[in-house]
Amino acid sequence: MGDHKDDHKDQPLRVGAAVRRRRRALQLTLAVVAERSGLSVPFLSQVENDRARPSTTSLEKVADALRTTAVELLAAADPACSVDVVRAEPEPAAEPRVRSLVRGHHQMHASEFTGDHDAGREFQYRNDQLMYVADGAVEIEAEGRAYRLGRGDTLYLTGGVRHRWRATVSDTRVVVVAVAEHVEAVQNRSR
């Protein structure tokens, strides 16, 4: 079974998204980065959109302008592959457990919760999320209302809604899919 080519380590990295995230985190414009790095705004824009692959020298100049290193930017880069398989765990866990279903730093995040979870813990995500009960049953309290979900049921929560939940049956599995926290999806929501 060792023939699964799941790992995307040999894929070229898309450094553009990492450059853009770093620039926005520092609240810098492309013009400021261009000025600091000596590179042009159009070139930097192409780099951020992964339409241009910067040379090592260019990437170092960009990294300097962003007060980081080329190594750090590459470490934060997204793999360029579009397919990644995450295999099921061989043994069902006795302990409550969370496993990430999306590897790497992407715009979407998904986790699988197995077993009971602390009902006292309140969650609040910046962005929208979908909860899907793959097995078992859960009770969710959101916006002061209680919802009971069974196998195959889904619940959609918009960003900012405080909620807590607990499994009401042992061996419950819940999949939670959300827009990743580092993506500002909420700001431009049209009412």
Side-chain angles (χ1 to χ4, degrees):
M1 285 273 292
D3 58 351
H4 288 306
K5 195 69 194 75
D6 295 344
D7 289 340
H8 47 224
K9 291 179 176 52
D10 55 351
Q11 291 283 349
L13 291 171
R14 295 184 307 205
V15 76
V19 170
R20 184 186 295 117
R21 283 194 290 268
R22 176 71 183 165
R23 176 175 66 77
R24 287 183 176 164
L26 296 173
Q27 298 181 326
L28 299 175
T29 62
L30 277 172
V32 170
V33 177
E35 198 178 304
R36 287 185 185 175
S37 64
L39 301 166
S40 73
V41 170
F43 175 71
L44 288 170
S45 176
Q46 286 187 324
V47 167
E48 285 196 1
N49 291 307
D50 286 303
R51 284 200 294 270
R53 307 249 353 226
S55 64
T56 308
T57 313
S58 294
L59 189 58
E60 280 165 2
K61 287 178 181 172
V62 171
D64 282 346
L66 297 175
R67 301 193 192 93
T68 184
T69 62
V71 172
E72 286 291 318
L73 286 175
L74 286 167
D78 293 336
C81 69
S82 56
V83 177
D84 184 34
V85 176
V86 177
R87 299 279 168 199
E89 304 279 321
E91 288 298 309
E95 306 287 287
R97 195 187 60 209
V98 183
R99 78 187 175 105
S100 182
L101 303 179
V102 179
R103 284 188 277 227
H105 197 74
H106 294 287
Q107 296 198 343
M108 178 180 282
H109 182 73
S111 299
E112 179 189 63
F113 293 83
T114 309
D116 199 4
H117 280 270
D118 179 8
R121 182 170 171 210
E122 193 171 57
F123 294 93
Q124 183 181 29
Y125 295 94
R126 187 191 326 180
N127 297 319
D128 294 7
Q129 71 165 59
L130 178 80
M131 291 179 80
Y132 171 76
V133 182
D135 259 319
V138 297
E139 200 169 73
I140 300 160
E141 189 190 307
E143 298 286 299
R145 287 186 59 187
Y147 302 86
R148 284 185 178 77
L149 303 187
R151 182 178 175 175
D153 290 344
T154 60
L155 179 82
Y156 191 89
L157 295 159
T158 52
V161 172
R162 290 181 181 281
H163 59 285
R164 54 166 58 98
W165 65 277
R166 66 187 184 90
T168 54
V169 176
S170 61
D171 294 333
T172 288
R173 285 191 310 138
V174 176
V175 175
V176 176
V177 181
V179 177
E181 288 284 289
H182 67 268
V183 179
E184 291 279 0
V186 167
Q187 288 179 348
N188 47 21
R189 175 179 296 134
S190 51
R191 283 272 172 245

